[in-house]
Amino acid sequence: MNLLNATRSELTKQFSTSVWWILVIVLVLYIGSTAGGMAAVIAAGETGTLGGASTLPTGLGERIPRPIYGLATAMGYVFPLIVGTLLVTGEYRHKTLTPTFLATPRRGVALSAKMVAGIVMGLVFAVAAVGSTVVAGGGVLAVFGIDPQLGSAETWALLARMVLALVLWVLVGIGLGTLIRNQIAAVVGILAFTQFVEPIARLGAGLVDGLADVARFLPGAASDALAGDSIYAIMGGGADQPLDWWAGGLVLAGYALVFALIGYAASWRRDVV
């Protein structure tokens, strides 16, 4: 019952602010427009209307919709990651952690409630991200006369794995927020790592013998493996052979668990200052 009440409190705090829906709108516009544009370029390349000018992969056959839908995780994962981080660091920034602990003295329960609330928030962002790629990307493909493959069980399995990946990213963010108290430092660090450090590392790993296997276990690579058929993987993203989808899911969940455990032991249990 304590966990249920604490989770309800967390959800009330999150949905009573404007941050979540502003991020959802930005996510839908960003991912939707990118998916629509990429679908147009790939479809035009497949149908020959670009005259071979496209640098995106062609000859995908029935796989055409999958990398387009996969943009929801390949590019959109940073949104739920930041949301998860804000779930925790916002408490430090706005000095609301003391009332949270007074209402829920057992700090393990308080952190667990944030995790459960994060899953709910992750589902919201996952539906928004996946839905925007399916509507925009699938719609453009249909205009070009290409089957969006929405009647395929494989496509729906892909979409389900993408939802799972985005939910796990929220939990990774919560773990990071527990570990890094400063909100600005946490957000800047996330953007630097996801947009620069890991992409460069994954691309560079393909040039050095032995590093490709290591790069497979980076969080972004694990997320791509879980979702499958991302545009990054199709174009060659460092690792010669990605992890199996279930292994990618376990690795991503492992990041969330390790960050949360370290953060709980090193930071969450400390006095609030």
Side-chain angles (χ1 to χ4, degrees):
M1 185 60 69
N2 288 336
L3 178 59
L4 180 61
N5 291 335
T7 301
R8 185 182 299 114
S9 176
E10 288 295 333
L11 290 173
T12 300
K13 283 190 290 186
Q14 299 309 313
F15 286 113
S16 62
T17 66
S18 59
V19 174
W20 74 272
W21 60 260
I22 291 175
L23 286 175
V24 167
I25 291 174
V26 174
L27 170 65
V28 169
L29 293 177
Y30 173 53
I31 298 300
S33 61
T34 304
M38 183 172 292
V41 174
I42 292 180
E46 289 285 337
T47 56
T49 57
L50 281 182
S54 174
T55 59
L56 293 173
T58 58
L60 297 175
E62 293 183 353
R63 295 177 63 196
I64 290 178
R66 299 178 193 173
I68 296 170
Y69 299 156
L71 289 173
T73 50
M75 296 179 64
Y77 73 95
V78 69
F79 288 88
L81 178 59
I82 289 177
V83 166
T85 305
L86 295 180
L87 271 167
V88 182
T89 58
E91 299 266 30
Y92 292 106
R93 182 175 178 84
H94 300 292
K95 308 297 183 182
T96 58
L97 194 58
T98 296
T100 295
F101 286 157
L102 289 174
T104 311
R106 298 174 62 184
R107 298 191 178 190
V109 174
L111 183 56
S112 298
K114 286 190 178 295
M115 290 287 189
V116 177
I119 291 173
V120 176
M121 297 292 292
L123 288 172
V124 172
F125 278 81
V127 170
V130 174
S132 64
T133 60
V134 170
V135 172
V140 169
L141 291 178
V143 169
F144 277 85
I146 296 177
D147 184 4
Q149 298 290 325
L150 292 178
S152 168
E154 290 185 7
T155 298
W156 286 101
L158 167 70
L159 300 181
R161 294 196 304 271
M162 288 161 52
V163 169
L164 175 58
L166 292 171
V167 170
L168 288 175
W169 275 115
V170 176
L171 300 183
V172 172
I174 292 174
L176 286 172
T178 306
L179 185 61
I180 306 172
R181 289 187 170 197
N182 186 283
Q183 186 175 84
I184 295 177
V187 172
V188 170
I190 284 172
L191 292 176
F193 183 83
T194 59
Q195 305 305 304
F196 298 101
V197 177
E198 181 173 355
I200 292 173
R202 290 174 65 182
L203 289 173
L207 304 177
V208 181
D209 291 339
L211 288 185
D213 286 337
V214 176
R216 297 189 304 167
F217 293 92
L218 291 171
S223 176
D224 284 343
L226 171 57
D229 274 342
S230 72
I231 190 69
Y232 186 85
I234 288 177
M235 294 185 70
D240 294 328
Q241 181 62 44
L243 297 171
D244 292 329
W245 71 267
W246 56 268
L250 288 177
V251 169
L252 197 57
Y255 276 106
L257 180 60
V258 169
F259 288 150
L261 289 177
I262 296 175
Y264 178 79
S267 178
W268 192 251
R269 298 176 64 185
R270 286 162 48 189
D271 291 338
V272 180
V273 294

